[in-house]
Amino acid sequence: MAFINYVTQIQFDFGAISLLKSECQRVGITKPLIVTDAGVKAAGILQKALDQLGGMAIEVFDQTPSNPTEAAVMAAAQQYQKSGCDGLIAVGGGSAIDCAKGVAIAATHTKCELGSLKTFATIEGGSGLITDRVAPLIAIPTTSGTGSEVARGAIIIVADGRKLGFHSWFLVPKTAICDPDLTLGLPPKLTAATGMDAVAHCMETFMAPLFNPPADGIALDGLARAWAHIERATQNGSDREARRQLMSASMQGAMAFQKGLGCVHSLSHSLGGVNPMLHHGTLNAMFLPAVVAFNAQAESIQTEHRLDRMAYAMGLGEGRGDDIPIAIKDMNMRLGLPSGLAAMGVTSQQFGNIINGALADHCHKTNPVIASASQYIEMLTLSM
């Protein structure tokens, strides 16, 4: 049975952050905890949000790490409870938004004890434990990649070191404020890495076998927008049209991936847990060529011409699906991303732990071909 759900209220435009206070009023937030990170604060973007909230009592948690951890979630949840907050505003990339989603659970469902969050993880059977008690959340993305502002999931490194997914429709932000102005100062390497995250979302969800034609259409259009504008946004960060298109692609990828992702994400989630210093979007860019080539054997990919349709959206021409892996590698090179996992410090000695995590990841079973351990070894080797 196909389940299709779209999705939340989105305010999308240059200057949309000016609607923040009215959106707080709309969803009933009177004393928010703003969840952000030190980089967003240093860049002055946090202040732009604060400037819109005059007259409101506000708490700020600005210690979100680059990969959100349970420890950060619990620290923010304790601040939320101690200060009597009644809602959350996430200002940042996927890390801040996912951290805020963790807080939305922990502050309302647990006693905020370290080690308790995994109870709510998808692979632990915890999705059903997440209820409408979650704290209301407004998400303001400052990167164009994760799309977490319109997604029902969060990825958090829990206390035992695993990088786990948390999924519930109750976690979808009440409002997504997508303001491309907030991405104009994003450095080139971060623009490239987060942009390839959006590309990966659009590609993987389009290849996923579940029946969801709206998701397919949204993903294919998002891929076309991302592929056509990622270089422009990386090379000229002040290119407003490129920033607008890339933010749309990011949003679209996450609107679509309710259909499911696949081996790219099962591998990047796992490796991100093995080494939390590695950037998720960069890992996705490294894994995409090998996974696309692996997926080419799937019956659904062949009969529905999915690689050819992606190639057409990417401007490669009709019937050029086999060219996608090399096109991705070429794009990674032009964007200044690493040449492979080895350049990021990954070694073959880590393969065992990576594969164990990938086989257990929630994205593993929604790939068009269910990968074995030996096939994951091959994908890792090709991605080195």
Side-chain angles (χ1 to χ4, degrees):
M1 180 68 68
F3 179 72
I4 300 170
N5 187 27
Y6 286 94
V7 171
T8 190
Q9 179 162 310
I10 302 165
Q11 300 284 2
F12 192 113
D13 202 356
F14 293 98
I17 196 170
S18 65
L19 300 172
L20 177 56
K21 189 171 184 178
S22 63
E23 286 300 319
C24 285
Q25 294 168 344
R26 184 183 70 83
V27 304
I29 297 175
T30 62
K31 187 175 184 179
L33 173 68
I34 298 180
V35 178
T36 187
D37 61 54
V40 170
K41 182 179 180 179
I45 299 175
L46 171 61
Q47 189 59 50
K48 292 182 179 181
L50 293 172
D51 289 344
Q52 305 302 321
L53 298 173
M56 295 182 69
I58 301 163
E59 290 287 323
V60 174
F61 177 82
D62 61 8
Q63 298 301 308
T64 303
S66 56
N67 281 287
T69 62
E70 182 174 352
V73 167
M74 292 306 174
Q78 288 168 6
Q79 183 177 350
Y80 180 100
Q81 292 176 329
K82 183 177 180 180
S83 301
C85 295
D86 60 6
L88 295 152
I89 300 171
V91 183
S95 296
I97 299 174
D98 283 6
C99 186
K101 289 178 180 179
V103 177
I105 300 169
T108 56
H109 288 65
T110 78
K111 296 180 180 179
C112 293
E113 296 174 350
L114 195 64
S116 63
L117 194 62
K118 66 182 180 183
T119 304
F120 299 91
T122 301
I123 66 169
E124 299 287 342
S127 293
L129 300 177
I130 303 171
T131 73
D132 60 2
R133 297 198 310 275
V134 298
L137 169 63
I138 294 173
I140 306 174
T142 61
T143 64
S144 295
T146 175
S148 188
E149 69 274 7
V150 296
R152 73 188 192 279
I155 305 297
I156 298 168
I157 299 175
V158 297
D160 64 16
R162 292 179 296 163
K163 194 171 188 177
L164 301 184
F166 298 77
H167 297 85
S168 169
W169 292 106
F170 295 119
L171 291 178
V172 178
K174 300 296 184 184
T175 300
I177 296 179
C178 297
D179 185 343
D181 273 335
L182 303 182
T183 68
L184 292 177
L186 201 65
K189 287 186 178 180
L190 195 54
T191 299
T194 54
M196 285 304 295
D197 194 16
V199 168
H201 291 159
C202 292
M203 283 189 168
E204 277 222 287
T205 200
F206 186 71
M207 290 186 290
L210 298 181
F211 183 80
N212 190 328
D216 287 342
I218 292 169
L220 208 57
D221 181 80
L223 174 60
R225 293 174 190 272
W227 197 261
H229 293 91
I230 188 172
E231 282 186 271
R232 281 175 52 182
T234 300
Q235 293 168 2
N236 179 8
S238 62
D239 186 329
R240 288 166 60 84
E241 179 60 14
R243 291 295 191 184
R244 184 172 75 97
Q245 295 289 352
L246 202 56
M247 179 163 272
S248 181
S250 173
M251 175 190 70
Q252 290 174 246
M255 289 175 72
F257 68 42
Q258 62 170 276
K259 179 187 171 192
L261 292 167
C263 289
V264 169
H265 278 76
S266 58
L267 285 165
S268 61
H269 289 159
S270 180
L271 181 48
V274 171
N275 184 351
M277 299 305 295
L278 299 178
H279 188 273
H280 174 72
T282 306
L283 290 176
N284 284 346
M286 300 299 101
F287 286 127
L288 260 174
V291 173
V292 171
F294 172 69
N295 286 348
Q297 64 185 291
E299 182 179 355
S300 61
I301 297 292
Q302 295 290 336
T303 59
E304 299 173 17
H305 307 287
R306 289 190 175 262
L307 296 192
D308 287 340
R309 292 160 69 188
M310 287 198 302
Y312 188 80
M314 296 161 69
L316 302 181
E318 294 186 10
R320 300 291 295 274
D322 290 344
D323 295 338
I324 291 176
I326 191 64
I328 296 169
K329 290 181 180 180
D330 288 345
M331 177 64 82
N332 288 341
M333 180 182 67
R334 295 198 301 272
L335 294 174
L337 293 174
S339 58
L341 296 176
M344 300 174 69
V346 179
T347 68
S348 59
Q349 285 72 35
Q350 296 172 307
F351 282 9
N353 289 335
I354 298 168
I355 292 167
N356 288 338
L359 289 168
D361 190 78
H362 62 276
C363 295
H364 168 68
K365 292 184 179 179
T366 51
N367 199 67
V369 182
I370 304 301
S372 65
S374 62
Q375 289 167 328
Y376 272 130
I377 290 175
E378 184 176 354
M379 283 182 265
L380 282 163
T381 302
L382 290 172
S383 301
M384 289 294 282

